[in-house]
Amino acid sequence: MTAPPLLPIGIDATTCGSFGAHLAITAAARPFVLDLTSVPFVSVGGLTLIEALARTAVQLDIPWAPTAEHTLHRFLTLLNMDIHIPSFDTEESALAHLTGRRRRSN
């Protein structure tokens, strides 16, 4: 249920391509946690990819949740993306969110 961890590098113009490929593999029609806790920086391009992932997940009804450091939480909040992309500090809290979502929808 948890996506493989990313390397502890930022998501910027030089890494957006590989991050996008990682997301395509991760979103394989099952619930998942996207672990971004070791990612120190996310560029606008990376945020765009995360937002596209969120839209696709909603369209395909795939529950998911990202875990992240404070910086990404802050960006999501400042850009009002946290409304449709709730992020969590730990894998445990993200899994609890996904488990609760599935229980409520059944």
Side-chain angles (χ1 to χ4, degrees):
M1 183 182 255
T2 301
L6 298 172
L7 295 175
I9 57 174
I11 300 169
D12 58 21
T14 62
T15 58
C16 271
S18 59
F19 179 61
H22 180 82
L23 293 181
I25 292 167
T26 300
R30 65 185 188 284
F32 67 94
V33 172
L34 180 62
D35 184 3
L36 299 173
T37 54
S38 65
V39 177
F41 173 79
V42 178
S43 69
V44 172
L47 290 173
T48 302
L49 290 171
I50 292 169
E51 189 168 39
L53 172 66
R55 279 193 309 272
T56 301
V58 166
Q59 290 170 348
L60 299 175
D61 195 30
I62 301 170
W64 76 290
T67 59
E69 293 295 326
H70 175 73
T71 305
L72 182 56
H73 293 301
R74 184 166 161 75
F75 277 130
L76 293 173
T77 301
L78 288 172
L79 298 171
N80 291 323
M81 294 170 70
D82 61 327
I83 295 167
H84 58 279
I85 305 173
S87 59
F88 301 89
D89 294 327
T90 65
E91 181 179 337
E92 291 79 19
S93 59
L95 289 170
H97 169 77
L98 292 177
T99 303
R101 179 187 182 275
R102 280 190 278 141
R103 281 191 192 135
R104 285 190 303 270
S105 64
N106 288 341

